[in-house]
Amino acid sequence: MLKYIGKRFLLMIPVLLGVIIFVFTIMYLTPGNPARIMLGPNASEEAVQQLLEEKGFDRPYFVQLTDYIKNIVLRGDFGESFQTGEPVLKEILERFPTTLRLATLSVTVSLVFGLTFGIISATRQYSILDKVTTSFALLGVSMPSFWAGLMATILFSSILGWLPASGSYGWKYWILPPLVLGLHSAASIMRMTRSSMLEVIRQDYIRTARAKGQTESKVIIVHALRNALIPVVTVVGMQFGILLGGSILIESVFALPGLGRLIIGSIGKRDRMVVQGGVLFLALAFSLVNLLVDILYSFIDPRIKSQYQVTGKRRKEVPNNVDNKLEKQESN
């Protein structure tokens, strides 16, 4: 089991390294002088040039990239913000809890609606309810989350006046954003749950369970749902990672002080250190979510755990077989 987790953990390293190189290259090629941004438009050329030399922005691309990777790996240093002068990691850690809270609430909404309607739609195939839920799924997948956020704000805040339009000053402010973001993901989870459940409920062991007289709810929840969860868990993990990154637009629409809003503001101000650090932090969170999904596989599907246990036993048996062969050769 530890070998399985370690293997998945090692696969994260090239992914994160690729993200660092890709984002750093884009921000490096983006027009704009970082020293000019830090000092302001009225600074002299001598002051700008001096700051470039102090910060190392005048060095070649590969030298800057290597130093950036070394600072992250060895010291956990993401650099300093051009605008505030604060460490980037500090600003990220101050904003990330809001983003994580939004993503967690959103994935909870998507799980409740997606699994519930997916199971109902699969067990009531071709019924009116199935057609309604399938239409809802298609609408949810096709509708952009930022547009849905704007429409929800107009309806529930401007017209009806039930909920606040922006901010994060109480529990009422955390109703619309998770609903808008979660319902979009619920459509994908519902479609995967429906298709996976339709495959499982036609299997022979489901007929056997029904023939033994078990209740329909026990057949669906205990026997069918667990075997249908493997592809669903994959989608849920991907959706949680997408929600972490997709919250950028929702945070801007509802003015939530999260990491996504920080990245959007930093892009407009050409604060590349914050953009690089924020994107890398989201990539790390996405990779950790995928690692958690891989670990959940071993609990949902016992074949994964048994596969690594059998492999370990076989490797332990090989030296014993070799020793036995050597003893036979010596006796002969």
Side-chain angles (χ1 to χ4, degrees):
M1 184 63 185
L2 292 176
K3 180 183 176 183
Y4 174 75
I5 297 174
K7 184 178 179 181
R8 293 296 184 274
F9 187 80
L10 289 176
L11 291 175
M12 292 170 50
I13 297 176
V15 173
L16 296 177
L17 184 61
V19 171
I20 292 175
I21 296 173
F22 181 75
V23 178
F24 184 89
T25 303
I26 291 178
M27 298 308 298
Y28 179 83
L29 297 175
T30 301
N33 190 330
R36 176 67 65 182
I37 296 172
M38 295 175 68
L39 295 176
N42 298 323
S44 63
E45 290 296 330
E46 291 79 8
V48 171
Q49 188 62 34
Q50 183 180 358
L51 186 60
L52 283 174
E53 294 176 358
E54 290 178 359
K55 298 294 184 180
F57 295 136
D58 59 336
R59 292 176 297 175
Y61 162 79
F62 289 104
V63 176
Q64 293 189 45
L65 176 61
T66 304
D67 290 342
Y68 183 69
I69 296 175
K70 285 182 180 179
N71 291 333
I72 292 176
V73 175
L74 300 179
R75 296 185 294 176
D77 184 12
F78 288 79
E80 295 180 354
S81 171
F82 295 165
Q83 298 294 324
T84 63
E86 295 288 334
V88 173
L89 185 59
K90 178 184 177 182
E91 295 196 1
I92 290 174
L93 294 178
E94 289 176 353
R95 302 293 190 97
F96 185 69
T98 301
T99 301
L100 183 62
R101 182 181 181 182
L102 176 59
T104 304
L105 291 174
S106 301
V107 80
T108 303
V109 171
S110 62
L111 275 173
V112 171
F113 285 95
L115 286 177
T116 303
F117 289 119
I119 294 172
I120 294 174
S121 181
T123 54
R124 303 286 190 274
Q125 190 179 14
Y126 302 129
S127 64
I128 297 177
L129 187 58
D130 180 27
K131 295 178 181 178
V132 171
T133 53
T134 305
S135 301
F136 160 76
L138 291 174
L139 180 63
V141 171
S142 306
M143 186 170 50
S145 58
F146 69 90
W147 182 84
L150 293 174
M151 296 300 104
T153 302
I154 294 173
L155 177 61
F156 294 103
S157 299
S158 300
I159 299 177
L160 299 177
W162 292 351
L163 298 170
S166 61
S168 58
Y169 306 105
W171 64 270
K172 287 186 177 182
Y173 294 86
W174 289 96
I175 295 178
L176 273 184
L179 279 176
V180 171
L181 201 57
L183 290 178
H184 185 269
S185 299
S188 301
I189 295 175
M190 180 238 155
R191 293 177 65 190
M192 179 56 69
T193 304
R194 180 181 183 275
S195 61
S196 184
M197 285 289 294
L198 286 176
E199 284 186 26
V200 171
I201 60 179
R202 296 191 180 102
Q203 300 297 321
D204 293 337
Y205 65 87
I206 298 297
R207 298 191 189 97
T208 304
R210 286 170 174 163
K212 287 182 178 180
Q214 295 186 359
T215 60
E216 186 66 17
S217 60
K218 187 175 182 180
V219 171
I220 297 299
I221 301 299
V222 177
H223 298 283
L225 182 59
R226 181 175 181 180
N227 291 280
L229 273 181
I230 295 178
V232 176
V233 168
T234 305
V235 174
V236 172
M238 292 182 62
Q239 288 298 321
F240 187 75
I242 292 172
L243 289 174
L244 284 173
S247 61
I248 293 176
L249 297 176
I250 294 299
E251 288 175 5
S252 299
V253 171
F254 291 98
L256 296 175
L259 181 56
R261 193 178 174 193
L262 175 66
I263 294 175
I264 290 292
S266 300
I267 291 175
K269 297 175 182 177
R270 300 294 191 274
D271 195 345
R272 73 181 194 185
M273 302 303 291
V274 175
V275 177
Q276 292 169 183
V279 174
L280 177 60
F281 201 86
L282 289 177
L284 176 61
F286 193 98
S287 300
L288 290 176
V289 169
N290 287 334
L291 177 63
L292 179 61
V293 170
D294 290 336
I295 296 173
L296 287 176
Y297 282 161
S298 61
F299 293 98
I300 297 175
D301 190 354
R303 293 174 296 181
I304 296 176
K305 187 183 295 185
S306 62
Q307 176 185 354
Y308 279 83
Q309 290 176 350
V310 170
T311 303
K313 290 180 181 179
R314 287 178 179 175
R315 290 185 176 179
K316 290 180 181 179
E317 292 173 357
V318 170
N320 296 330
N321 294 334
V322 174
D323 292 338
N324 293 333
K325 289 182 180 179
L326 291 174
E327 291 178 359
K328 289 181 181 179
Q329 288 177 1
E330 291 176 357
S331 61
N332 293 332

